[in-house]
Amino acid sequence: MRIGYGWDSHEFKPGIPLKIGGVAIDHPMGLGGHSDGDVLLHAITDALLGAVAAPDIGTLFSPSDARWKGADSAVFLAEAMRRVQAAGYRIANLDSTLILAAPKIGPHTAAIRKRVSGLMKLSPDCIGIKAKTPEGLNLDNAAMAQVVVLLEEIPVSAKPRKSKARKQATR
C-alpha cells in the first residue's frame, strides 16, 4: 500500500468561472491559475503522483508551458491515474478537505463527488469531500484543497505454467 498527500491553493479573481472538482459552481469569482484553477483536481493529482514517487503537477504540466493555459484539470488527473496504474497500483480511497470562505460547498458536494468518481473510475463511497471555512486565518480571498489517497498494489496474475510434456517438447 502507498499513501499520497496533495495540497493546492488559488486566489479568487473576477471574470473567471469557478470550477471545483470538475464542477462549475455559480459564484461571482473563480480561481486564478494557469489552467482552470481547479484546486481539488490539482490536489488529487499531486496526491496520486506523490504516492508513486512521480514528479509533481507543476513539473509535468509547467505553468510556463502555453499548452496548459486554461487547460481542463481532468487532463492532469488522467495522467496521474495512468502513472498510478503503470506503477502497479489502484486507488483504494480518497479523502479531501476544501478550505474556503465562500461559496458554501455543501450544496455541491454530491455533484463534486459524482464528477470525481467518474473521472477516477472509483465508487462514490470511496471519495470523501469535506469543506471548512478558514476562520481567523485571513484567507477569505483564496481556496485551498488538501487530499490524501490510499493506493493498493494490483495483484499480479500468475502466468499460466507450461505442462511438463509441453516443456519437454520445446527442449
Side-chain angles (χ1 to χ4, degrees), residues 32-90:
H34 187 67
S35 64
D36 62 7
D38 191 325
V39 292
L40 182 57
L41 293 189
H42 293 180
I44 293 170
T45 298
D46 260 344
L48 292 169
L49 293 170
V52 295
D56 71 353
I57 191 172
T59 301
L60 294 176
F61 305 100
S62 174
S64 63
D65 188 334
R67 288 182 297 168
W68 310 121
K69 180 69 178 161
D72 185 337
S73 294
V75 172
F76 309 150
L77 179 57
E79 175 60 18
M81 291 183 54
R82 186 194 66 74
R83 287 173 180 255
V84 165
Q85 185 174 18
Y89 291 89
R90 63 183 173 207

Side-chain angles (χ1 to χ4, degrees), residues 19-23 38-41 44 111-113 115-116 119:
K19 201 170 181 186
I20 297 177
V23 174
D38 191 325
V39 292
L40 182 57
L41 293 189
I44 293 170
I112 293 170
R113 181 177 284 114
R115 178 68 175 142
V116 170
L119 290 170

